[in-house]
Each structure stands twice: as structure tokens, then as C-alpha cells.
Amino acid sequence: LRKGFPEVVYGPGKTPRQVAEIMRRLRERGGPVLVTRVHAEQAESVQRLLPEAAYHPVARALTLPAERDEAGERAPGPAIRVVTAGTADIPVAEEACLTLELMGRPHERVYDVGAAGLHRVLHHLPSLREAPVVVAVAGMDGVLPGVLAGLLARPVVGVPTSTGYGTGQGGVAALLTMLNSCAPGLAVVNIDNGFGAAVLAGMIASVGSPAPP
Amino acid sequence: LRKGFPEVVYGPGKTPRQVAEIMRRLRERGGPVLVTRVHAEQAESVQRLLPEAAYHPVARALTLPAERDEAGERAPGPAIRVVTAGTADIPVAEEACLTLELMGRPHERVYDVGAAGLHRVLHHLPSLREAPVVVAVAGMDGVLPGVLAGLLARPVVGVPTSTGYGTGQGGVAALLTMLNSCAPGLAVVNIDNGFGAAVLAGMIASVGSPAPP
Amino acid sequence: LRKGFPEVVYGPGKTPRQVAEIMRRLRERGGPVLVTRVHAEQAESVQRLLPEAAYHPVARALTLPAERDEAGERAPGPAIRVVTAGTADIPVAEEACLTLELMGRPHERVYDVGAAGLHRVLHHLPSLREAPVVVAVAGMDGVLPGVLAGLLARPVVGVPTSTGYGTGQGGVAALLTMLNSCAPGLAVVNIDNGFGAAVLAGMIASVGSPAPP
Amino acid sequence: LRKGFPEVVYGPGKTPRQVAEIMRRLRERGGPVLVTRVHAEQAESVQRLLPEAAYHPVARALTLPAERDEAGERAPGPAIRVVTAGTADIPVAEEACLTLELMGRPHERVYDVGAAGLHRVLHHLPSLREAPVVVAVAGMDGVLPGVLAGLLARPVVGVPTSTGYGTGQGGVAALLTMLNSCAPGLAVVNIDNGFGAAVLAGMIASVGSPAPP
Amino acid sequence: LRKGFPEVVYGPGKTPRQVAEIMRRLRERGGPVLVTRVHAEQAESVQRLLPEAAYHPVARALTLPAERDEAGERAPGPAIRVVTAGTADIPVAEEACLTLELMGRPHERVYDVGAAGLHRVLHHLPSLREAPVVVAVAGMDGVLPGVLAGLLARPVVGVPTSTGYGTGQGGVAALLTMLNSCAPGLAVVNIDNGFGAAVLAGMIASVGSPAPP
Amino acid sequence: LRKGFPEVVYGPGKTPRQVAEIMRRLRERGGPVLVTRVHAEQAESVQRLLPEAAYHPVARALTLPAERDEAGERAPGPAIRVVTAGTADIPVAEEACLTLELMGRPHERVYDVGAAGLHRVLHHLPSLREAPVVVAVAGMDGVLPGVLAGLLARPVVGVPTSTGYGTGQGGVAALLTMLNSCAPGLAVVNIDNGFGAAVLAGMIASVGSPAPP
Amino acid sequence: LRKGFPEVVYGPGKTPRQVAEIMRRLRERGGPVLVTRVHAEQAESVQRLLPEAAYHPVARALTLPAERDEAGERAPGPAIRVVTAGTADIPVAEEACLTLELMGRPHERVYDVGAAGLHRVLHHLPSLREAPVVVAVAGMDGVLPGVLAGLLARPVVGVPTSTGYGTGQGGVAALLTMLNSCAPGLAVVNIDNGFGAAVLAGMIASVGSPAPP
Amino acid sequence: LRKGFPEVVYGPGKTPRQVAEIMRRLRERGGPVLVTRVHAEQAESVQRLLPEAAYHPVARALTLPAERDEAGERAPGPAIRVVTAGTADIPVAEEACLTLELMGRPHERVYDVGAAGLHRVLHHLPSLREAPVVVAVAGMDGVLPGVLAGLLARPVVGVPTSTGYGTGQGGVAALLTMLNSCAPGLAVVNIDNGFGAAVLAGMIASVGSPAPP
Ligand SMILES: Nc1ncnc2c1ncn2[C@@H]1O[C@H](COP(=O)(O)O)[C@@H](O)[C@H]1O
Ligand SMILES: Nc1ncnc2c1ncn2[C@@H]1O[C@H](COP(=O)(O)O)[C@@H](O)[C@H]1O
Ligand SMILES: Nc1ncnc2c1ncn2[C@@H]1O[C@H](COP(=O)(O)O)[C@@H](O)[C@H]1O
Ligand SMILES: Nc1ncnc2c1ncn2[C@@H]1O[C@H](COP(=O)(O)O)[C@@H](O)[C@H]1O
Ligand SMILES: [Mg+2]
Ligand SMILES: [Mg+2]
Ligand SMILES: [Mg+2]
Ligand SMILES: [Mg+2]
Ligand SMILES: [Mg+2]
Ligand SMILES: [Mg+2]
Ligand SMILES: [Mg+2]
Ligand SMILES: [Mg+2]
């Protein structure tokens, strides 16, 4: 599937029956299918109707593989890095990784590089510099993506998360930090939108390749 | 300068003397210098102190060229497209174009493709499909960037503008529209941030090339 | 009942006993009765007290038919179209359809015309052009109603829904998109207000007919 | 022009030269041209470039008449009523009236029906009941449109205005009052959007007539 | 207790043990004790520790009577009226009535005078005109208190409630309507603050009497 | 005029001609006329058209006396106190005092009792205790009205002002402090609404007297 | 540990397994470990994996003691005071006390000094004056920290809490009160951030001592 | 004056006459007087009435020296550092420095340590480590204070500034970044509040010294 991205369905507000039906219909188009924001019970009900659906509990997503398995066919080039500030940001990062996986995009996890300190960031810098683009996931004050954008010459996709409390306001504080960063090369997506960040990063990584038809 | 981006200074809240001094200091690093958000009178005062500074009234910016003029040296590859929804969005788009110019990045203007209708967008689609990345500038409801992202396979950088009134809230409505778009491949930057959008687009367009040192 | 709209009760914050009592009292006025935002358990408790009440689980509403059944008597003229962007917007659309049903207004469902693309919209255009007025229901970025208003010469009633996450803020982003649309002829109602949209659309469709007494 | 609405341009953020040029270009399509939100000095500069443009100081708008003058040709039927709560809401109401004028729609002004009392509203009720649709313009607490919708059987288009102070927040309080009104048949548009309200009202009034081609 | 108001405790965030202990301590001062915002289970646990505490399920409050029962001793003068717009506002109104009861203040309930129409308000006007002060409780658009203030010559205490959805924002829309009302003589308190409204109304009603020591 | 309050006009958004005309019309009803929020130049233009209008520069208001001068006739009873936290709150307090003056209500100024300390408040306490009701005007953190309500047994009318900066948000912080105060007996009005506070206070002070006809 | 502060982990969004693992890893650095915002069930699951973890139910925190117990070694000097306005603020204050305990900082609780009155504050003033710094915890209107800052010559760390309802907005009203206080010497931290307040207070109290290495 | 802080007056909303009078009155208490937020013309008018007042144009403040000049008497100990992220933050930092000057507190300026990069911060680290407390002033994304708090063992006072645009919202984004920072030891004050930050920092620096009487 190197050239596109998966068919995607937004899980909340849909009955298991609706989800299963949509997954079946979309599978017919040939590519993989991804359903985001599915909690465990909802997933189980869908799997009873559609046993071939796989559930990814940390990413909170259901998937169907592509018709013709192209898992072996990977896009060439260095791996996109998916970075998190803290442990609580991992579910959003896993949604991104799962999406990159379905897109056939090589990617590497760099988790927990530190919310309140910069040492771990500096430690990973040489590896991060190899990436064509970095997905940086952070809640609370959302400082990490801007710091990375200041240190790297490649684009950074910042994903604010709803991790935090009080004035964090469900991710709004982190979002504002990223939008107001002076660091050049920082793209921002919606709060908790791991899927969207991955699609964007995958597209960026393939800008040098011929466009999909 | 093909590989980097200009030294940039944020104009508001600085005296003409401060601006002139900073421009002089930054020029010594060799690359071009860009000062954003400078209104006409402020520009004139700076030019009295630094006559070689050029003022770009629509983009509301001051520039100093690079030491060794590399204007002839353009990055290879197809042109980035800079699109606006309406006429009132042009100043922000011009800030982006000026930045791309200083980065040596080929770019083309596609202005006024229409706020309240989609026909003009469709008309320009074949040309937009050639771009490695599109910068889409829109105020009011900010719908254009998401529409473009839905039609294109390449990344779109959405720039909300403060054009509008009432519940537009100085660009917040347009920003929210972009952040909540379901269209894949949409990167968002701060309201009116033409400079930031251009740097991001320039970086994306050169993802296939070797990284700057 | 062609000339008016149903007696309506807002369900939340009322005990089953209060709901049943109010339904009984309102029925005496002769017209149909509608209770909105009733979840399944609350409905069951009401039905135990008032077995003739019908529950509509997708629309989340309870109804009592009009005293003298006028279901056969339909308002003349072409059908109002009720459109949704995604599957998650269907409950709000069903609340609108149920209201139109009780008003005796012919109406047709056009669901899932697409959140992240415009092709399905274009496909349905000829049918939508026949409607005297269109009810357009959309969450997330809320772009659909403005797109329809740009394509149609008849009024569009936009209903933002609370579908979405992060900066969607429970429908506020979708609402702002609609209020800031430049497309002519777009009326906006409160978030998730399927009932209000239907009454407004029904009134609009009958503007050419003599006013109710 | 009975069948459509004027070509419209949003004035702010455009130079007089841009405005004059756009007006000239749009006139070629045959219909009337309307430029909204133009203050007196901006208007004068445009008139120097385009002397046939007429300025309407209370409505703060510039107009060019239709090519073939159809002023005599009015749409049939009773007049739309344009109502204001206070004197400070008149400029927004006049933008609406001017738009209705250019649409060839009969309309009547009912101004100052009272912000802090209901007697004047009741006094005008018989006349308001004749209208196919009422445009109700109100700032501060924005209560008037909901009160009218509660008293009338025809649609009401509520226009919140930025009149007010403190927690009025430039019209947001009035907007929220209208969106949260329980009165059936209330359509809401953006704050101060007299133009949009008029186009919507004109479309509603002609729902019974054949659609424009 | 005619001269004062009850000792009051805010229930949420306190353990049953803390509530019981505070109630016991406050009772020693002689006057009645009121605990607000107590849900049924919390109340039961408190009553197990303090069986003489009475629970008022609609008002969601616990009370202890005054040491020396002064229930028979009522303040002289006409009754304060406690008015609600809808049925869902009754719990807040009941918190107000219970407080007035403990203050020994004569009061009368006028509930459900109508959210979307004014006829029932007009029906009750003669009775409301007898009150020294009116407590008006309303959610959604919160229009009722301003309408009453426009019709009455005595002070009105407006209590916004969290009844509503979407842009109602948990009572903020209703609050803003009241604060921006032009009607003279409207006092506003916090959202859902039936207790505070009652104390204020009781103080206002006794302004002509000698101050408490 | 002891029994009522002045006819009042909100100045902003009205032309001098409109203001003068409205003042003339209202005078015919016999009572005094008050126009609020009038800046110096606007006032001068009005006075050229209506020389008998008096301008009060600190209160920023225009007045016409009552037809039959009743200035000598004062309501009986102790004076209402009008208190400010700081010097910048005085214009709002003066609007209140002017309104009380026109209502024939005895009142006393207690200004600058201190924003950042409580000593001056305590110093004035004996005098404040004599008032039937206190109007407390405060910006920034808006703490003063709640402190007074905690110290006094009579109602306090809190007026938040737009004095402040940063997170003061034009008076919203002060307003929220007052609405969330636990002190019993605090009535809140809109930001900077000195007029509304005075009418409310005047009504409260006359609750013991017979109602106006 | 006198010179530093504990390793701290934010509990929400982590599985018990992740929490236990992180606690184990951090313990290896030698100092104490603190996990905040852990509810009872989550704590139990962690304790099953890591039985030496202690749970503090009021502070809602898990702790591991320092490797080498330094509980006996206390920092010298007078005790920091931790003050609350109401009973509902105690959990946040206890999080602060537990943190100070782990830092080896002498501290004293002064709880419930009164939300709606100042007498209890004045009663405790002599003791509060001995503290090098005071931590003041308050919800609702958040007035207490500013009052203390006005009475004390030492720094006050204000902690807004989410106690309250309606316009309290989960602590935002209290936060704004503190940020807009005119009282000198008031430091503000995030809503409910007892841990952060304690670390700041501990650092302030040791400013006179040599810095940690 | 080593032990206290200056008498301070908030300039906006006061007439020059009021300012001069207040300055005169406060001078009588012996200490220095500071008036903040005074623009150049206002300052000139005050100086005409009170020629001994000194104006500081960058800090936008007026001062009167202490009666008995104690400028030579400085508090002992290392200098507080006042740091800014950018050039536009300097006015706020200068307000802080002027306040520290009047408090007799040794302080050093470290300006422009960089908004979009961390190298200059690291360069200044050894000097910053000597300070008992650091005042960190930053607008836009407001990241600097948190970064410093992460690197330093002493308290940091973060001052958000209104520098920025779009979603910066006049400093709110910077404020939220600071409040949500995980870095230990960060105290936050109101947007642009250089004075308050300086008083707090001065108090912190003297925590080891005996309290002022
Ligand atoms: N996590 C997600 N974030 C943003 N968009 C999504 C997400 N998951 C699905 N979508 C998109 O949401 C849109 C609405 O989806 P649906 O309700 O599934 O028809 C689809 O166009 C999807 O592309
Ligand atoms: N229009 C702009 N939008 C966002 N950042 C900018 C803009 N112009 C300059 N900057 C950045 O703003 C930061 C603060 O700048 P300065 O006050 O110039 O030191 C610098 O790091 C610049 O990179
Ligand atoms: N007062 C107005 N309110 C809402 N939309 C408007 C108004 N005036 C013009 N427009 C629309 O604004 C859009 C942007 O205009 P322009 O910048 O002229 O291309 C056009 O599509 C107009 O239809
Ligand atoms: N429903 C309520 N609304 C506002 N204030 C209240 C309410 N119930 C109790 N209070 C006040 O809240 C304060 C905090 O109380 P507590 O936490 O009980 O010590 C007390 O001063 C009470 O006067
Ligand atoms: Mg970078
Ligand atoms: Mg695309
Ligand atoms: Mg249309
Ligand atoms: Mg109606
Ligand atoms: Mg009244
Ligand atoms: Mg009191
Ligand atoms: Mg102090
Ligand atoms: Mg630190």
C-alpha cells in the first residue's frame, strides 16, 4: 500500500453493527481498513460480528489487513521517528505507528524522552537527525515538538495530547504552545490525532517519490 | 541559501533602532534577513537608518539580501503553490512567497480561488496536483485548505487568517475548521503565520534532498 | 397537523413520572407529542407508566401520535432532504426526520455523503436541487452545510453536531464553521438541535402556503 | 434580479484599487454589485476611481446597480419585515435592507421595538404576522428574535449585533441567547451579518416560487 | 431565625464523616444547618452517622432544624415568589425554597411559567407584582428573569441553571443573557446557585426591617 | 421621581442627532433622562443640538433634569454607600452616583478603600453598616464586593470593572470572582454597569416602601 | 534528601504495570518516589505488583521511601504553613504536605481558615507570620491566597483548586482571581497542583542555604 | 528600603492630576514611589505637575526616589537574573529591573537568550546558576521559563508577555505553557506583570534574612 493510506473510520458514536458493516464494505476496495478510538468492549462486539478484525488495545484501534498482503513491501528510505514526551502520550503515538504500519512506512519509536528535562532529547538527537520527518507527541505544556523543531532541519509534526489537568484544558494548552512556537518547521494537527499526524508524516516522507495515481 | 531559511525577526514591539541593529548583526552571518509584520511608517524609519533594507508593502516585511547573491540559484523541482481563498488573505500569502523567495524555492501564486464556491478550485486542480506541497491561506470559515487536502495526494499547509468578523474571532474559527478537518494530509500553523507556513513547505519540498548540514 | 409542529418536551433533568405526566397533559391539546434526548432506560420507565408512548432508539425520542391520526395527510410539494456528513451524525438527523414526520412533512434521508471528500455530495446534487430546503447535519469541521449552501439556490439549515474530539469542543468548531461561511443562504441552529432544524425547515417549506391560524 | 442575489464583496482588508477593480469585473456579469463594511474614507477613495459607485453611509456599503435596471420589477407577495431591538442595531439592519432592495424583495422597517420591554413588540404584532419571514436584529442580550419566534408562525432570521459591553463580548452573548432559544422557527446567522440574513430571508420568501436556474 | 440565614455547608468533595461532623459542630451555634449538593447515596451515609438529619431529594440537601424550633415564627410581609422557566429548573428552585424556609421567609412557588412563550408569565403577573422580590430560575437561553425584570417594579434575582446543551455550555449562555439584559433591577448569581439567590432575596425582603445584630 | 428611575439611553453607536432626538422625545414623559457612555466630543455635538443637556465628564453621561424639578425631594432613610476598590473604578461609580441622584436616592461615596489590603475597608465598616445596601465597584481581581458581603448583613451589589490587564480580560476575572464568592448576599451586574447597579440598589432600598404605580 | 525533591510520576493514563515499573526504576536513583493522582483501585493494583508501595488515600498518592531513610533528617528553620480555605481543598493540600514530607521540609497544616469570612485568617496570623513561605490552597472564588499575600511579608504560593461549580469552571475562576491579585508576593501554580506548589515552596524556603549540587 | 518594596500605582485609567496627587501623598510615607504602565504623553503631563518625577520610557514607568536616598545601600548576596526570550519582551523585563532597583536588590540583565533555540540559554547557564532566583520573561509560546526551571535548582518566576499574534491571545498561550510546565520550581504571575514578578523575586531572595517589621 506504499502509495496511499488506509481507509479510516472514526469509531465513537457508531454501533458495533455499523462498524462491522462499514469495515466489510471498505475492505472491498482492496486496501487495509482502520477504525480509530474503539474501546475494548466495543471492539469485542465488533469482533463477534467480524472475527477477522484485529484489535490493538494500546492504540485503541481495529484493523483489517489489505486484501493482497503487502506487509513485506516497505517504502524505501530512513525510518520516520515517533517520539513521545511522557508515558501517558503512548496511546496516541501507537495510533500513529499503527497507521504508518498500514501505510508500509518504516518507523521507529522513541518514547518518554522527557517532559521536564532536555537531556534525553539530546541523547536521541543523532538518531532523530536521520529521520525524513519526526512525529512528536506531547501533552501538558506541549513543549517537546517545538524543542525538536528548533534542533532539527527536517519537518516535525506536533501532536498535542489531552494528557494534563487544570489549565491544560484537555490539550488546548499543549496545542497553543505548538502553534505559537517560533521554531521553524513545525506542523500541528488536532489534539490526540495520531492518525492524522501519521498520514501527514507519511505523505511528507514520500514527497520526493512520484505521486500516487 | 537553497538549504536553509532566512534569519527572521518579528517586527512588532521593537523600535526602528532595534530593528536596524538586529538586521545589521544578522546580515553578518551571510544569509538573507527578513523582518515580519512591519507597517509602512516603521519601515521608513528603519530605512532611514539602514538604506539598503528593502520594504515589501503587501507582505509588510523588510529584507536584506544574502551577502553573496544566490538569487539565480534555485532549488530544482516543481513549484510550491501558494493559494488564497479571498483577496483579503493576500498579505499573509505574500509573506509566505517572500520567504520562499529568500529560501530560493520555486513557487507560484494561485490567488482568490474562491471562498463561497468550489468551481475555481476545481479549475486550478491540474496545476495544483503538480506541486510537491501546497500552502493554502484562508480566513472566515477557513474551509479551503481542507477541501484541497481532500482533493490532493500531497501535503497541504493550512494558514488560517484573521480575515472575518463576529464569531470569526480573529482567525480562531478558521483555525478550528482546519484542525478538525477529516481530510488527510493537512498541516496547520498559527493564524496569519505566512512565514512559518513557507518554511515548513520549503522543508517538506526538500525532504527528498540531502539534509542541510 | 400539516399546519403546525408537535408539542415538544426536553427530556434531560426530568423524572420518568414528570415526563409521563407532561406527555398526558399535552396530548389533550390534540396534536402529537415529542420528548427529545431520552435514553433507553429513561424511556422504559416512562413506558411503564404510559404504555402507549413509542420509543425511537436512534433518534432517542418518545412520541405520542396525534389524537385524530393524520398520518395519511401529508403536506404537498417536494420532499425536504435531510443530509449527514458521517455516520455519527445520524442520531441528530433522525431526531429531525421524526419531527418532520410528526409535522406531516415529506422528507428524504441522504446520509453519509462524506466528511473528507466532495464526490458523494456531487453525486446527490440533482436530487438535492429538488428540495425546497435542505437540513445538513455535520460534526468535526462542519464543512458540509456551507458546501451545500454554495451549490444550492434554496435555503440550507445547518446543524452542527457534537461529533468530534480535541478542538472540536463538543460541536463548537462545527458551529463556527457554519456561522462564518460565506455561502449565501445558510441558517444555523444550536449544536445537536435536530428538532429545531426540522421545525425551521418545515416552516420554510410552507412559506408559500397560508399561515397556520 | 428577482431570482438571485447581488454579487457581494467583503470590504475590509482590500485597497480602494482592489475594490474598484473587483466591482468593475463583477458588474460585467450583469447583476448589481454590493461591497459591505466600507467606511466613509475608503468609500470616497473608491468613488474617485469608480464614480458611478453609490455609497450608503448608514449601511456602510458601496453599490453598483444592475446593468439593465430592474428596480421597477419587484418580487410579488407581502413585505419581509426587518426589525431592530435598539437604535444601535440600525446599521446592520440597513445592510439587510439594502441587500433586499438589490434582490428586488419588498421589505418594511420596524425599528427600535424595544430592548427592555415587550409593549412595542406587541403593538407591531399584527403587521409582523403578515410577513413571510422576519429579520430580527438585536445586540446586548439578544432576546428579541426569540421572543418574536415565540409569537409568530413564520420563520425568524436572528442577527446578533456587536452592540453591548462587558460580558456582551462583541455579540457573543446575543448569539448564544438566540442559539439557545426554545422558540421554534429561529434561524441564526453570524454577528452583524445583515447581508447574510437578507439573502437567507429572500430565499425563504421565494421558496414557493420556481427555483432560479 | 427571622434575622439571619442558616449555617451552610457545600457538600461535594466531603466524606460523609466530614459532613456529619461539620453538621454537629454547626448545630451548636443554635441556628439551622443546611448542606447543599448532596446526592442520595451520600445523604444516606450521613444519615447513618447522624440520624436526625433530614434529606430533601429534589433540593438535594441535608438539613438540621434550629435548636429552638422557630418554624412558627415567620417574617411578616408578602411572600417572595420563586419562579422557574421549565421543569428541569425545579431542583435549583427547591434549593432556594428550602433556604427561604430555614430563614423563616414566606415564599410561594410559581413553576414552569414557560420557556418558549410569554402567555403563562402574563397570567401570573398580578400575583408576582405583590412580591417584595422575585427569584427567577432559568436555563437554556435564560430569558425569563430579564422579561420579569422588564415587567416588575421590584428587584428580580436571576439564577441561571445548567439546563441545556450545545452552546448552552452548562449555564453560561443563560448567565450571559441575564448579565446583558437591559431590564432594570436584575441581580445575578452563580449558575445553579439556588442557595445564594435565596439568601440575597431574603436580605432584600428585610431591608425595611432593622438589621440583624 | 422617588418612585422610579430615569429614562436611560445607551450612547455608543448612536449619532449625536439620534441622541438629541431621543432625549427630546423621552423628556416629554416628564422624568429625567440619562445617556450613558458618552465621550467628550460626542457630548459636545449633542449639546450643540440640545443646549440644555448637561455633561458629566467623569461619569461620561448626559442628563436632562425632570420636567418638574424634584431635586429637593429625597427619598427618606439612610444613604446607600457607593464604594470603589481603586481610583480607576471611579468613572463606573460616578455613573452609579449620577443615577442615584436622578432617582432622588440619598447616597455617599466611599472611594479607594484599597485593592491590595483590607485595613481601609475595616476603617469604613461602621459607616457601611448603616447603609440599606452597598454598591461595591472593583476591577482586577474583584475581591472587594465579596469581602464586604462577608462583613455586612445587608445586600451588596457587586460591579466588576474592566480595569486590569492580561488575564483580567476586560473585567471577566473580576466578574468570576464575584459570581463564585461564598459570601452571602452578593448580587452581581454586568461589567462596568454602574447604571444597572444603581437602579438595582435603589429598588432594594425602597423594598419596604409602597411599590411605584 | 534535604536538598532536592522526590522523583515524581503523574498517575493518570498509566496502567498499574507501567506505574509499578517506573517506580522500581526510579527507586534505583536512591531518593524517594511519588506518584500523584492515583485513585484507590489503581493503587491497589499497583500494590499487588509492588507491595512496598504506600498509598495515601486523601492525598491520592503512592510513595516509596528513600533508599537510605533520612526521615529523621529535617531541614532546619521554621515550618512552611499549608493553608486551605475549605474542607474540599484538603486533598490538594495533602498532596503538598506529602511532598514536603518527602523533601524533609518541616511544615504545618492550617486548614479551613474560612472561605466566606476573614476572622479565622486573622486568628492564625501570628503563626503564619513565622513561616518562610505559605502555601495557600483555595477553590471557588480563590480569594484566600491574595488576602494572605496582603497580610504577610513573605512569599505566598497560591494553589487554585477545582472545587466549585457553574462559573467556577473547574478552578479557572480561582486561578484568575490569584493572577489578578494586587497583593505583592503571590506566586501561582496550576489548578490542583499541590505537588508543584510544595516543590516551589521548599525551594523558596532553602534559598538562603547552599544550592544542591 | 532593603526590607520592603515600593509604593506602587497602576497608571491606566487615571488622569495626570490624579497620578501626581497620589504620588505626592505616597511619597510622604518615606519610601520610593512607582507608577506603572504610563505612556509618554501621560508621563509628560504628570511631570508638568510634579517635575521631580522621573520617567523611564522603556519600562513605561514614573518614579519618585525614597525620601532619604538609600541607593547606595544594597541588599547583600548574589544578583537576581532577569532573563528575556526576545527583544519584544524587554519592556516588561525593564519594569521588573526598575522595581528591583527601587527595592535595593542586586540584579543582572540577560536579554534575548533566544526564543527558537536553546544554545544561548546553555551559554548563560553558569551565570544563571549563581542567582538565588531567576525572573524569566517570555511571550509567544512562553517556553523559556519552563526550560530554565528544568535546568536550575533555584526558583524561577515566569512572566508571560503579550508579545505574539493569532492564537497567542495576548499572552494567554504563554501563560498556559508556564502553568502546565512539568519543570519543578516555576512560579507564575499575570501577563506582562514585571512589577509583581520583581517583588516576588525580591521576597524570595530575602527569605533567609529576617522578615521586615
Ligand atoms: N482519529 C481520527 N481523527 C480524525 N479523523 C478521523 C479519525 N478517524 C477517522 N477519521 C475520519 O473521520 C471521518 C468521518 O468518519 P465516519 O463517521 O467514519 O464516516 C472519515 O472521513 C475519516 O477519514
Ligand atoms: N511572523 C512570525 N511568526 C512567527 N515567528 C516569527 C515571525 N517573525 C519572527 N519570528 C520569530 O520570533 C522569534 C522572536 O523574535 P525576536 O523578538 O525578533 O527576537 C524569533 O525567534 C523569530 O524566529
Ligand atoms: N458582510 C458579509 N458577510 C459575510 N460574507 C460576506 C460579506 N460580504 C461579502 N461576503 C462574502 O465574503 C466572501 C469573501 O469575499 P472576497 O474577499 O471579496 O473574495 C465572498 O464570497 C462574499 O460572498
Ligand atoms: N450551594 C452553595 N453555593 C455557594 N456557596 C455555598 C453553597 N453551599 C455552601 N456554600 C458556602 O461554601 C463555603 C465553603 O464551604 P465548606 O467547604 O463547606 O467549608 C461556605 O462558606 C458556604 O457558605
Ligand atoms: Mg527545525
Ligand atoms: Mg489529501
Ligand atoms: Mg446557496
Ligand atoms: Mg414561532
Ligand atoms: Mg423591572
Ligand atoms: Mg453579608
Ligand atoms: Mg504580602
Ligand atoms: Mg528547576
Side-chain angles (χ1 to χ4, degrees), chain C residues 54-189:
Chain C
Y55 185 58
H56 309 257
V58 183
R60 296 160 306 174
L62 281 167
T63 52
L64 284 179
E67 284 284 273
R68 193 166 54 79
D69 195 350
E70 301 167 286
E73 298 184 41
R74 285 251 155 173
I80 293 169
R81 262 65 172 190
V82 179
V83 186
T84 76
T87 303
D89 305 318
I90 291 179
V92 174
E94 282 297 305
E95 184 182 289
C97 289
L98 185 59
T99 306
L100 289 170
E101 188 63 37
L102 293 176
M103 292 173 83
R105 274 279 146 208
H107 56 281
E108 257 172 50
R109 292 163 174 81
V110 188
Y111 287 174
D112 253 312
V113 299
L118 300 177
H119 9 274
R120 297 205 57 217
V121 171
L122 298 176
H123 174 76
H124 288 286
L125 214 49
S127 153
L128 296 174
R129 287 219 160 102
E130 284 164 23
V133 51
V134 170
V135 174
V137 186
M140 299 221 166
D141 61 7
V143 163
L144 181 68
V147 165
L148 286 177
L151 293 167
L152 298 172
R154 296 300 192 184
V156 174
V157 179
V159 192
T161 72
S162 49
T163 300
Y165 60 90
T167 56
Q169 286 172 96
V172 171
L175 173 79
L176 292 177
T177 306
M178 298 181 200
L179 287 171
N180 287 282
S181 173
C182 299
L186 183 52
V188 185
V189 299

Side-chain angles (χ1 to χ4, degrees), chain F residues 129-166:
Chain F
R129 288 219 159 103
E130 285 164 22
V133 52
V134 169
V135 174
V137 185
M140 301 231 165
D141 61 6
V143 162
L144 181 68
V147 166
L148 286 176
L151 294 167
L152 299 171
R154 296 300 192 183
V156 174
V157 179
V159 191
T161 73
S162 49
T163 301
Y165 61 89

Side-chain angles (χ1 to χ4, degrees), chain G residues 149-150 152 184, chain H residues 203:
Chain G
L152 299 172
Chain H
M203 279 187 182

